[in-house]
Amino acid sequence: MLYCGAQNSGYMAPEYAMEGVFSVKSDVFSFGVILLEIISGKKNNGFYLTGHAQTLLAYAWRLWKEGKELEFVDPLLMVSGQTIEVLKCMHIGLLCVQEDPADRPTMTSVVVLLGNDSVALPQPKHPALAIARVIQTDQLSATNPSINELTLSSVSPR
């Protein structure tokens, strides 16, 4: 199976991945994804294979909206007795991955939120979600690198 589509498959802010628009809020998005990965013990890249949701962000958002945040948290984090801190970090992670970059906090604000228990956290808005597609690799051939005029690209970090 080969994964392809307009999916934000890692830590890249969707406005950058889709439109090439980069800002200080792009790094905030990346930080939020990493924070949610740490809390859940799952990687965003390839999360669609788990059956929970299309993306880690969608899964976190769904559980947050249903009031089932503890289901998102890696059980290893729960043994520390820091449940309130872990849920606060999930909340901040969701603030960082909001769809509209203008709604995301700055990294300076994130540091303040992480270090200050007396600051009230705003309610997060819908995270940036994308729809993924899975194509059977036997549908591809070396002579036909494109299906339905969709060019497949493999992006690897340096």
Side-chain angles (χ1 to χ4, degrees), residues 36-70:
L36 292 172
E37 284 184 334
I38 292 168
I39 293 165
S40 68
K42 296 174 174 51
K43 294 187 69 57
N44 185 43
N45 190 0
F47 188 79
Y48 64 94
L49 294 173
T50 66
H52 292 296
Q54 287 268 315
T55 66
L56 181 68
L57 306 182
Y59 183 55
W61 179 250
R62 186 188 68 186
L63 292 175
W64 176 267
K65 293 301 284 180
E66 294 174 358
K68 299 177 181 178
E69 301 94 330
L70 292 177

Side-chain angles (χ1 to χ4, degrees), residues 63-79:
L63 292 175
W64 176 267
K65 293 301 284 180
E66 294 174 358
K68 299 177 181 178
E69 301 94 330
L70 292 177
E71 290 181 28
F72 184 75
V73 179
D74 185 325
L76 293 174
L77 290 177
M78 299 309 293
V79 297

Side-chain angles (χ1 to χ4, degrees), residues 120-135:
L121 297 174
Q123 286 301 309
K125 295 179 183 173
H126 200 278
L129 305 174
I131 302 212
R133 289 187 283 181
V134 177
I135 297 174

Side-chain angles (χ1 to χ4, degrees), residues 14-28:
E15 65 273 10
Y16 181 70
M18 303 302 284
E19 302 165 23
V21 176
F22 187 81
S23 73
V24 293
K25 300 293 184 87
S26 301
D27 287 340
V28 172

